[in-house]
Amino acid sequence: MKHDFDCDLLVVGLGPVGDALAALATIQGLKVIAIDRSSTIFPLPRAAVFDHEIMRIFQAIGVAERIAPLCRIPDRYQFLTADRQVLLDFPVAPVGAFGWAETYALHQPAVEQVLRDRLTELDVQVELGVAFERMAQDEAGVTVDVTAGAEPRQIRARYVVGCDGSWSPVREALGIKLDDYNFDEPWLVLDTIIEEPGDLPIVCQQLCDPERPVTHMAMSGKRFRWEFMLKPGESPEEMLDDARIRALLEPWDCVERIAIERKAVYRFHALVAEKWRVGRILIAGDAAHQMPPFAGQGMCSGIRDAANLAWKLGAVIRAEADEAILDTYQQEREPHVRAIIATAIAMGQIVCLLDPAAAEGRNQAMLARKSSGAQDVSVAYPDLVDGFLTRTPHAGALFPQPRAADGELLDAVCGNGPVLVTRSDAQVRDRSVRAISLDAPEIAKFAAPLGQWLAAAAADAVLIRPDRHVFGTGCPDELQDAWRAMAGKAAVG
């Protein structure tokens, strides 16, 4: 048994989820090695949007201000009938509750490059062209066999997280099964560059046309995406034919101005891994869950995994929490993911109706509800419902992030650890928790909105986790005692 370690955490797979986890774990003080079998960032677009919670995580990583100019803030997200009547309409607030615009359209390779550059700044040991082969764990750590070219070697890590995609070798090595929702739809995806967009709508749209459901999105810069559902009997090969693609794009009157960057047929499906942790090995992102794109939450959900895991791994490595805290990772994230999958499937079922009579019935029912002020599908974030949380009001909710008049954001003051915000000075009972009172000079510009939040919660204090979810509300001393008790460590300062 080998006890000397090359790193605290080995991240396998460097898409946006692996990049985010490696950065956040390093910020938490862990020594991280991150490997990827590819020597370059995947050059083509994949994810289309992310939300303000994810930009807040990018803020924690230190790259939000670099990523924002690379993105487009869409005006709204709409579901339309074939004759362009609005079934569902989701306006996008330019500044949401978490300090950033509610939605950003991105060019994924550009965002990944920013994240990868940040890993270099943080001195993360990034090893590209290195493939995971196998692993063995013991009570102290994990020994991972990798190859770089033809050269085999081993990496010894305290923990391993597989962020290695939908066909995850780490998940396969653990023998973890997938729970299949049996939602499986093939779609042609076209990513294009248009120098002169003309009158193309600069929005995100789902066209609920039984003749052919279509997604149209204005992405960042000059990039536009179309997605066309395959109908029964249509093959990927015929849909990828250039003549067929020209015919599909004809209604937008832009065929002569388009340069196609990528064309591919994908199957939209919903899957969740049955286990996300086996001892010292965990999985995150597409390795743990996959979902239809209709809610725009696939990449977002994986980056949330990273934010949830990073601070817990940090607390364990620093001996501020018992290893059992890692069991709360799946306990918290799986219900959240499943709620979003349910929303995405509900949206997909609205879009994917091919029967004209059923589609007309859907349209009439939804238009009637819309005229009464109701909306059929909510994209509100679910709270965490169980895990490393108290049973007090608001526990599990994502805490808002006020933006001051000078542009400064609350999280910049709070730091990277748990923070206890109190009405007045409180004794520090746990060395891992920072206490800030509303009359502290460093928080003066945020005192009014924080005081309003505490008043609405009828609480003297709120304890906010490093991932910005509310641990609990109530009495400052009781909150700190609960944190220490749940962490399983007597971390008294």
Side-chain angles (χ1 to χ4, degrees):
M1 189 183 304
K2 184 179 175 184
H3 287 291
D4 52 319
F5 294 95
D6 299 302
C7 59
D8 298 315
L9 172 64
L10 174 64
V11 176
V12 180
L14 277 177
V17 176
D19 288 334
L21 177 58
L24 291 166
T26 300
I27 290 167
Q28 286 289 324
L30 276 63
K31 176 174 172 50
V32 177
I33 296 176
I35 65 172
D36 195 278
R37 66 173 54 247
S38 175
S39 59
T40 60
I41 292 171
F42 188 74
L44 298 176
R46 287 174 291 177
V49 296
F50 64 89
D51 58 45
H52 50 163
E53 181 180 350
I54 303 313
M55 188 62 101
R56 189 179 188 179
I57 295 170
F58 290 155
Q59 175 193 341
I61 293 170
V63 295
E65 298 292 348
R66 299 183 220 175
I67 287 175
L70 302 175
C71 301
R72 184 198 300 276
I73 300 173
D75 178 62
R76 59 207 325 106
Y77 180 31
Q78 295 179 323
F79 285 58
L80 307 176
T81 66
D83 59 357
R84 303 306 195 266
Q85 295 182 79
V86 178
L87 295 172
L88 294 172
D89 186 31
F90 303 100
V92 175
V95 180
F98 307 134
W100 298 93
E102 288 183 327
T103 302
Y104 294 85
L106 76 153
H107 179 54
Q108 184 174 330
V111 169
E112 285 196 52
Q113 186 62 61
V114 172
L115 291 169
R116 196 70 62 85
D117 291 346
R118 183 59 174 153
L119 296 187
T120 300
E121 295 170 359
L122 293 169
D123 292 324
V124 176
Q125 186 175 332
V126 175
E127 300 188 13
L128 303 177
V130 175
F132 168 91
E133 299 294 346
R134 65 192 64 85
M135 60 191 168
Q137 66 173 312
D138 51 61
E139 72 272 12
V142 188
T143 302
V144 180
D145 292 320
V146 301
T147 55
E151 294 296 322
R153 58 182 272 244
Q154 290 186 329
I155 299 173
R156 178 72 172 162
R158 298 181 190 276
Y159 292 92
V160 172
V161 180
C163 303
D164 48 347
S166 56
W167 298 102
S168 168
V170 171
R171 186 190 67 229
E172 292 298 312
L174 295 171
I176 296 172
K177 296 180 180 179
L178 295 170
D179 178 19
D180 192 336
Y181 277 70
N182 294 314
F183 181 92
D184 189 34
E185 299 288 353
W187 285 66
L188 168 67
V189 178
L190 298 176
D191 282 295
T192 71
I193 298 173
I194 306 179
E195 292 294 332
E196 295 295 337
D199 58 358
L200 282 173
I202 309 298
V203 293
C204 301
Q205 294 178 327
Q206 298 283 354
L207 302 183
C208 305
D209 184 351
E211 285 297 313
R212 171 92 60 192
V214 179
T215 301
H216 166 262
M217 297 185 63
M219 299 175 72
S220 63
K222 299 174 181 178
R223 288 184 162 85
F224 290 77
R225 174 175 291 181
W226 279 270
E227 298 171 354
F228 299 92
M229 183 178 172
L230 271 66
K231 296 191 288 188
E234 292 179 332
S235 70
E237 292 75 21
E238 66 179 287
M239 292 297 288
L240 291 167
D241 180 75
D242 287 344
R244 173 59 70 90
I245 289 172
R246 288 179 65 88
L248 291 170
L249 291 173
E250 198 64 42
W252 276 268
D253 193 27
C254 59
V255 173
E256 303 306 324
R257 294 175 282 138
I258 281 180
I260 294 179
E261 190 175 24
R262 179 185 66 146
K263 57 179 182 178
V265 172
Y266 286 92
R267 301 197 77 86
F268 296 165
H269 49 224
L271 304 165
V272 177
E274 293 180 355
K275 296 180 71 175
W276 299 17
R277 178 192 176 203
V278 178
R280 292 177 171 270
I281 305 165
L282 304 100
I283 56 175
D286 283 355
H289 44 77
Q290 297 150 54
M291 62 188 67
F294 302 106
Q297 289 290 305
M299 185 184 79
C300 295
S301 294
I303 292 175
R304 288 192 193 97
D305 294 346
N308 189 291
L309 260 182
W311 74 268
K312 293 176 181 177
L313 286 165
V316 172
I317 295 296
R318 294 190 302 269
E320 293 172 358
D322 188 84
E323 191 179 57
I325 195 175
L326 299 178
D327 288 331
T328 67
Y329 163 56
Q330 182 175 358
Q331 188 180 13
E332 293 174 357
R333 290 292 305 129
E334 183 179 356
H336 195 277
V337 164
R338 287 188 181 275
I340 291 173
I341 287 175
T343 296
I345 289 176
M347 288 180 165
Q349 289 170 338
I350 291 171
V351 173
C352 296
L353 274 180
L354 297 179
D355 179 79
E360 180 59 25
R362 169 204 63 199
N363 294 348
Q364 294 306 316
M366 292 182 69
L367 290 169
R369 284 192 289 272
K370 181 172 174 287
S371 66
S372 69
Q375 185 140 284
D376 293 65
V377 180
S378 170
V379 292
Y381 303 98
D383 294 341
L384 304 183
V385 295
D386 203 1
F388 195 84
L389 306 164
T390 63
R391 299 293 182 184
T392 57
H394 304 284
L398 193 63
F399 195 75
Q401 180 178 216
R403 183 182 282 270
D406 62 2
E408 187 174 15
L409 289 156
L410 175 65
D411 292 355
V413 177
C414 291
N416 301 316
V419 60
L420 179 73
V421 178
T422 66
R423 292 186 182 277
S424 56
D425 287 337
Q427 178 186 359
V428 176
R429 300 163 70 91
D430 189 311
R431 66 172 181 266
S432 71
V433 177
R434 179 187 180 196
I436 306 177
S437 68
L438 291 184
D439 55 6
E442 65 266 34
I443 209 169
K445 63 183 71 175
F446 304 107
L450 291 175
Q452 292 166 6
W453 192 95
L454 288 172
D460 290 328
V462 56
L463 207 168
I464 307 165
R465 306 184 337 176
D467 61 3
R468 307 313 181 196
H469 284 276
V470 174
F471 172 73
T473 56
C475 167
D477 290 349
E478 291 177 357
L479 286 171
Q480 292 183 84
D481 290 344
W483 181 277
R484 185 171 64 249
M486 292 188 70
K489 295 290 180 181
V492 178

